[in-house]
Amino acid sequence: IEQNRTPHDESFAFDGERWTRIRRLPEACGAMACIALGNRLHLIGGAIGSDWRRSIDWHIVYDPASDRYERRQPLPTARDHTGIVVVDNDIHILGGRVDSFHTNSNLHHSYDAATDRWSFRTPLPTARSGQGCVLYRGKVFVMGGEGTNRVYGQNEAWDPLSDRWEAYAPMLTPRHGMGAVMLGDAIYVAGGGPQMGGGMKSAINESFTLA
């Protein structure tokens, strides 16, 4: 709450009709990456603090059946506002802030839940934070984001088979902090900020598809 300040520890679940409270986080945290793997939720990275905001490397797993959290191997480099996606049962964390969008990261790590181990992968061509991240046609697409005095429109994809990054058509409207999802055979990118920081929002909704 309060524009990247004053994170809280409340957690909720939505069943399609109503929201219910679930166990609070072990620590108040915001801007973390969350994704489902198997029947558990992985919460990775994030930011804590108010006046002295800093990124953290935590990695906790929530089990809905027991309503409890467990610790896992921490993220190798603390950061927040990252991209996250699952590829072949591995969790991938891409880019993000190291304390601030003035010090964005291009790091790309993957996590193997079976061995509880992180691995380095080929870094992003464009260091950024607050970007969209979607698995589409077997490739990890990363689009948008922000940095010092700019908002990115770059749309780049990592190919797991070749372990290489490729450039694709940039976003029509560069934005950060937006929602990005694959639906059918297209990536949809909704909302977000068209300028650095949180002072301006948008209601723009655009889609991208491969020929």
Side-chain angles (χ1 to χ4, degrees):
I1 61 176
E2 298 182 10
Q3 278 284 44
N4 291 315
R5 295 181 295 274
T6 317
H8 66 84
D9 63 357
E10 292 183 282
S11 299
F12 303 88
F14 181 67
D15 66 3
E17 294 185 359
R18 62 183 62 86
W19 289 94
T20 57
R21 292 180 183 273
I22 58 177
R23 183 178 292 271
R24 289 176 176 267
L25 298 172
E27 182 177 359
C29 180
M32 69 198 69
C34 303
I35 201 161
L37 183 65
N39 58 357
R40 287 174 169 80
L41 299 177
H42 289 251
L43 288 68
I44 303 171
I48 62 173
S50 181
D51 294 334
W52 298 98
R53 179 190 185 280
R54 66 179 178 87
S55 302
I56 59 174
D57 63 357
W58 78 348
H59 179 188
I60 58 175
V61 174
Y62 175 72
D63 181 1
S66 64
D67 192 31
R68 293 186 178 276
Y69 296 96
E70 298 176 354
R71 298 280 180 176
R72 293 290 187 269
Q73 188 68 25
L75 185 63
T77 301
R79 55 199 198 269
D80 61 270
H81 283 84
T82 68
I84 188 168
V85 69
V86 169
V87 183
D88 295 330
N89 290 319
D90 285 347
I91 296 173
H92 290 249
I93 295 286
L94 303 104
R97 302 178 183 178
V98 181
D99 297 333
S100 167
F101 53 61
H102 298 300
T103 48
N104 280 336
S105 170
N106 70 341
L107 289 176
H108 173 192
H109 291 98
S110 65
Y111 173 76
D112 181 353
T115 61
D116 190 29
R117 179 176 296 179
W118 288 94
S119 300
F120 285 97
R121 297 299 187 110
T122 303
L124 284 73
T126 306
R128 44 185 151 163
S129 58
Q131 68 273 17
C133 186
V134 175
L135 181 65
Y136 173 52
R137 293 198 189 180
K139 297 180 180 180
V140 179
F141 280 79
V142 177
M143 71 293 298
E146 70 177 327
T148 301
N149 297 324
R150 68 172 300 176
V151 175
Y152 294 99
Q154 280 92 328
N155 179 24
E156 298 161 341
W158 178 69
D159 185 347
L161 297 179
S162 64
D163 192 26
R164 298 184 64 176
W165 286 88
E166 306 161 343
Y168 288 86
M171 295 171 63
L172 298 175
T173 310
R175 282 166 285 150
H176 68 95
M178 64 283 186
V181 66
M182 189 196 76
L183 182 64
D185 188 40
I187 297 172
Y188 291 84
V189 182
Q195 294 182 0
M196 185 190 73
M200 180 179 290
K201 282 80 172 178
S202 78
I204 295 169
N205 187 15
E206 299 169 342
S207 65
F208 168 83
T209 186
L210 291 171

